[in-house]
Amino acid sequence: MDFFRRAAGKPARLAVLAGTFNPPTRAHLALARGGLAVADEVVFVLPRAFPHKQYEGVGFAERVRMLELALESDPRCSIATTATGLFIDIARECRRAYGDGTEIYFLCGRDAAERAAHWDYGPPGAFLEQLREYQLLVAPRGGAWEPPPEMRDRIHPLAMEADHDEVSATRVRECIRRGLPWEHLAPASIVELVRQAYGNN
């Protein structure tokens, strides 16, 4: 795990928000605020490779810069990169960086939680075994998710300050492409950078 920015101190509880941040949105920041009600620090992780999507368009360095601007006012937020995007791989890189005493939680929406739980990891029960190393805090996205009974002690609902179902990086890009208003979907501190990076057609 390589850090672009690291919060001071050693957290007892660490919340991890992994994504492509293409671009960062108000929903990402809302997830982080929800995570900080549970954890001492949130680390935004921009993996260099993902199992389910490819990097397209805006480059890695520009996404890091957008995160830096979006998070500059909160000293409890870190920004880092990892080699891959699987939760278990990120968790193990976090473990090496933060130590064995830190409890790890992943912040995600319902869609990402379901994808992680049903991903083909090979051996049966592999995801349940992974949950020994981290926990999930799941925000409602199109409704709350009810995890399987055997996972409920490691997967928890994440309280959100407002409904962000309609806020996504995909929607930002689509609105820019179609010439529709999009600025309300992005953190105010990065609106100009998003406009430069993605164009305003």
Side-chain angles (χ1 to χ4, degrees):
M1 172 172 269
D2 295 316
F3 288 89
F4 300 99
R5 163 182 160 167
R6 187 163 183 177
K10 182 178 180 181
R13 291 182 167 189
L14 175 71
V16 182
L17 180 53
T20 57
F21 306 110
N22 185 29
T25 68
R26 291 184 181 272
H28 292 130
L29 299 192
L31 276 170
R33 286 191 294 272
L36 286 168
V38 176
D40 308 303
E41 176 183 336
V42 172
V43 57
F44 284 69
V45 174
L46 185 60
R48 295 192 180 276
F50 289 88
H52 61 282
K53 61 178 73 174
Q54 301 295 321
Y55 274 107
E56 297 176 352
V58 171
F60 184 89
E62 289 173 287
R63 299 184 198 197
V64 171
R65 181 59 183 149
M66 286 188 283
L67 283 173
E68 289 173 336
L69 286 175
L71 301 174
E72 64 182 354
S73 64
D74 198 329
R76 299 168 296 170
C77 292
S78 300
I79 303 167
T81 187
T82 54
T84 70
L86 286 176
F87 281 177
I88 187 60
D89 295 331
I90 296 172
R92 288 172 179 170
E93 291 200 40
C94 286
R95 178 68 59 223
R96 288 191 289 272
Y98 286 89
D100 292 336
T102 297
E103 198 169 357
I104 297 172
Y105 296 82
F106 279 88
L107 304 172
C108 59
R110 172 185 178 176
D111 49 347
E114 290 181 332
R115 185 168 57 243
H118 299 297
W119 191 265
D120 183 5
Y121 299 97
F127 184 67
L128 185 59
E129 187 66 24
Q130 289 179 29
L131 289 176
R132 295 176 182 271
E133 300 189 40
Y134 61 82
Q135 300 182 57
L136 298 186
L137 294 170
V138 182
R141 192 173 181 88
W145 181 48
E146 191 67 33
E150 66 272 18
M151 299 180 185
R152 286 178 190 161
D153 63 334
R154 304 292 289 176
I155 299 177
H156 319 282
L158 178 67
M160 297 287 283
E161 61 198 17
D163 181 2
H164 289 83
D165 279 5
E166 302 305 315
V167 181
S168 70
T170 299
R171 186 173 177 209
V172 172
R173 297 193 308 273
E174 178 66 13
C175 286
I176 291 173
R177 187 186 67 79
R178 296 175 59 191
L180 300 174
W182 57 269
E183 292 84 353
H184 61 292
L185 304 173
S189 58
I190 68 167
V191 164
E192 288 307 316
L193 187 53
V194 171
R195 183 175 286 114
Q196 293 168 21
Y198 294 85
N200 195 355
N201 301 320

